[in-house]
């Protein structure tokens, strides 16, 4: 079984960072294309402001990074699970007021995009060019887990991440924060 893995906050005290790192903005980088990035990049810095009582999640909602922003615990679990279709890019988080630096997080680029929508059973809002603007109802074709990666981007709508049941179960067992898993038919 495959699931949609979404970056979502569960509590009001979880930090969300909207700012785009200057390096990503200047170079128009995206880590959401499902393709291997062959260029090398210096450590990317991101300034943020942490309000009193706010906490970091394991998968940080850093929207301007254009990809997953995950901590060392998640990276170690991915390594332990022998999942090899991710690249990591260094990220330094700098709190604006205290100048405290955090280097525990990296931007993860998922390599692999699979076209697997069952259009007959989906309810999609499409642009005039046919690209997906919004998903009302999502359905996959029958997926052969033996032939697909355990984690990949949805080829028809690259912002969505699809994971198999093993990843979902392992991440939930570890109690990783910042993720919500949806059955395709429950995602909208």
């Amino acid at each position: 079984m495959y699931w949609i893995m979404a970056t979502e906050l569960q509590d009001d005290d979880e930090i969300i960072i909207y700012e785009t790192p200057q390096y990503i903005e200047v170079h128009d980088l995206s880590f959401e294309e499902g393709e291997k990035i062959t260029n090398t990049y210096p450590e990317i810095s991101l300034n943020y402001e942490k309000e009193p009582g706010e906490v970091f999640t394991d998968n940080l909602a850093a929207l301007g990074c254009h990809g997953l922003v995950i901590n060392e615990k998640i990276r170690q679990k991915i390594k332990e699970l022998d999942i090899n279709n991710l690249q990591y890019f260094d990220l330094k988080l700098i709190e604006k007021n205290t100048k405290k630096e955090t280097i525990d997080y990296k931007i993860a680029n998922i390599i692999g995009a699979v076209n697997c929508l069952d259009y007959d059973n989906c309810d999609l809002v499409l642009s005039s060019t046919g690209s997906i603007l919004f998903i009302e109802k999502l359905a996959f074709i029958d997926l052969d887990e033996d032939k697909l990666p355990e984690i990949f981007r949805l080829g028809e709508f690259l912002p969505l991440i699809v994971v198999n049941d093993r990843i979902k179960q392992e991440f939930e067992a570890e109690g990783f924060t910042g993720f919500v898993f949806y059955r395709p038919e429950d995602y909208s």
Side-chain angles (χ1 to χ4, degrees):
M1 161 131 204
Y2 278 89
W3 301 80
I4 299 297
M5 182 175 78
T7 297
E8 288 186 19
L9 303 179
Q10 297 300 297
D11 293 311
D12 291 338
D13 64 347
E14 295 173 345
I15 194 167
I16 185 167
I17 303 173
Y18 294 100
E19 186 175 313
T20 300
Q22 185 176 12
Y23 194 86
I24 288 176
E25 193 169 357
V26 168
H27 295 283
D28 195 28
L29 297 179
S30 177
F31 302 97
E32 294 182 323
E33 304 300 316
E35 297 175 2
K36 184 173 185 169
I37 296 172
T38 57
N39 295 339
T40 56
Y41 296 103
E43 180 177 72
I44 297 168
S45 296
L46 173 60
N47 295 311
Y48 71 96
E49 194 166 348
K50 185 173 181 267
E51 299 297 326
E54 284 186 326
V55 297
F56 284 101
T57 52
D58 298 310
N59 171 47
L60 187 59
L63 308 179
C65 287
H66 306 291
L68 286 178
V69 177
I70 57 177
N71 66 11
E72 179 65 22
K73 292 188 307 185
I74 294 175
R75 293 192 308 275
Q76 286 302 317
K77 178 52 78 173
I78 289 169
K79 183 178 179 181
E80 177 186 310
L81 295 173
D82 199 29
I83 299 168
N84 299 310
N85 63 320
L86 282 87
Q87 291 175 283
Y88 299 108
F89 295 86
D90 292 335
L91 177 66
K92 182 191 310 180
L93 300 170
I94 305 168
E95 208 287 326
K96 289 179 182 177
N97 298 314
T98 65
K99 305 299 182 208
K100 178 183 177 191
E101 296 182 3
T102 303
I103 58 170
D104 185 44
Y105 289 86
K106 292 189 185 288
I107 301 173
N109 178 43
I110 299 168
I111 303 165
V114 176
N115 291 328
C116 58
L117 284 185
D118 180 352
Y119 281 95
D120 292 336
N121 291 303
C122 287
D123 185 2
L124 308 169
V125 177
L126 303 176
S127 72
S128 60
T129 62
S131 61
I132 297 172
L133 296 174
F134 190 76
I135 298 170
E136 297 285 345
K137 179 183 171 200
L138 186 63
F140 294 154
I141 58 174
D142 288 332
L143 299 175
D144 185 349
E145 292 190 36
D146 294 331
K147 295 181 181 176
L148 293 175
E150 292 187 83
I151 183 171
F152 57 88
R153 294 230 175 239
L154 183 60
E156 297 92 345
F157 192 65
L158 293 170
L160 287 188
I161 298 169
V162 181
V163 300
N164 69 2
D165 202 47
R166 180 175 85 123
I167 291 176
K168 176 192 178 290
Q169 289 179 16
E170 292 283 342
F171 279 26
E172 287 179 339
E174 293 289 334
F176 291 144
T177 56
F179 291 115
V180 175
F181 296 91
Y182 292 97
R183 290 181 182 278
E185 60 270 18
D186 296 334
Y187 181 82
S188 65

